[in-house]
Amino acid sequence: MAIFEGAGVALITPFCTDESVDYDQLEKVIDYQIEKGTDSIIICGTTGEASTMSHEEQLEVVKACVDHVNKRVPVIAGAGSNCTREAVYLAEKSAQIGVDGLLVVTPYYNKATQGGLVQYYTDIAKASDAPIIMYNVPGRTGCNIQPETAAKLVKEVDTIVGIKEASGNISQVAKLMSLTQGDIDLYSGNDDQIVPILSLGGKGVISVLSNVVPTETHEIVASYLAGDVKKSRELQLKYIELIDALFCEVNPIPVKKAMAELGYCTGTVRGPLTEMEPAHAEKMIQIMKKLNIL
């Protein structure tokens, strides 16, 4: 059984203006997501700015999330690194905290061969019994999980159950689903490709968009899985302009600004990220108003 089906939110981490974690606002954002139908909380991923946190701080945020969610929906914690030992540590400690799954990005900067990826994910899987979703986002990491590699890992390692596919390469995803006969939990990692991924057998999305419109993102997936492809497609296309705005600058700069406009955070990001360009911010705000989000 999949860790979750539907829309999982790649949750922001609210910061105070001094860049410390705002735990009160984190709880409010979590409650908002669950109340609006989000199917899973993904904490300390790319959107959560985990790469700017110490391991201790990251694990504190994961624990705060697990405690506050209190089993209402599955919690999946980011646990990847460009150092296998660090990824193993994060996986082990996150599992001890009580997460329902791990989202493990490929090694970045130093990257890895395909054989290196097999070893990396296998070593992390040995650290805990928590199910693992591999995270393939070559545009950010410079490292691509080839379909044959992902298929090998899913077939040979029991706790590696899924993949968040953000390569943007639909042909690659189709090949993966063919090689695994669909026996892998596939999630879209790109909000503009939710429906195409679902059409190939996807279970849902791990979504930035869901921060801003959780009900509607849930409905894109729920409608498709219920057989209402027309409604799913219409919702996907309705929010394309907003999706584009949310990625007009490096994630999570725009989504932090959007959530600040909604009153859920200060919009503060940690360096090297910077405040959203005023022209981009104004355009996004106008799109949000047009969609009656503001």
Side-chain angles (χ1 to χ4, degrees), residues 107-121:
Y108 39 86
Y109 184 69
N110 50 351
K111 306 190 283 187
T113 64
Q114 295 302 301
L117 289 174
V118 170
Q119 190 65 56
Y120 169 79
Y121 281 108

Side-chain angles (χ1 to χ4, degrees), residues 169-203:
N169 187 337
I170 294 296
S171 297
Q172 175 171 295
V173 176
K175 185 173 184 180
L176 170 60
M177 297 306 279
S178 175
L179 289 172
T180 58
Q181 294 81 50
D183 191 20
I184 182 172
D185 297 335
L186 171 66
Y187 300 96
S188 177
N190 294 326
D191 284 312
D192 60 354
Q193 293 184 343
I194 302 172
V195 171
I197 292 289
L198 292 173
S199 75
L200 292 171
K203 292 286 200 304

Side-chain angles (χ1 to χ4, degrees), residues 176-233:
L176 170 60
M177 297 306 279
S178 175
L179 289 172
T180 58
Q181 294 81 50
D183 191 20
I184 182 172
D185 297 335
L186 171 66
Y187 300 96
S188 177
N190 294 326
D191 284 312
D192 60 354
Q193 293 184 343
I194 302 172
V195 171
I197 292 289
L198 292 173
S199 75
L200 292 171
K203 292 286 200 304
V205 61
I206 295 176
S207 171
V208 175
L209 177 68
S210 187
N211 283 278
V212 183
V213 284
T215 301
E216 293 81 356
T217 310
H218 165 84
E219 279 300 316
I220 293 173
V221 182
S223 297
Y224 193 99
L225 296 179
D228 193 345
V229 176
K230 182 175 183 290
K231 180 180 178 182
S232 177
R233 182 178 65 245

Side-chain angles (χ1 to χ4, degrees), residues 32-110:
Y32 170 65
Q33 288 293 318
I34 295 173
E35 289 165 6
K36 295 298 183 180
T38 291
D39 300 288
S40 179
I41 304 291
I42 292 81
I43 191 76
C44 288
T46 304
T47 310
E49 296 176 79
S51 60
T52 68
M53 298 178 185
S54 68
H55 292 338
E56 291 73 24
E57 185 181 31
Q58 182 172 336
L59 292 168
E60 286 173 5
V61 173
V62 170
K63 186 178 188 306
C65 180
V66 169
D67 289 349
H68 191 68
V69 170
N70 194 26
K71 300 295 183 182
R72 286 178 287 171
V73 297
V75 174
I76 300 169
S81 175
N82 63 338
C83 171
T84 300
R85 284 178 295 178
E86 292 184 1
V88 165
Y89 174 80
L90 289 169
E92 183 179 26
K93 295 301 182 181
S94 295
Q96 290 172 1
I97 288 168
V99 299
D100 299 284
L102 302 168
L103 181 67
V104 180
V105 72
T106 58
Y108 39 86
Y109 184 69
N110 50 351

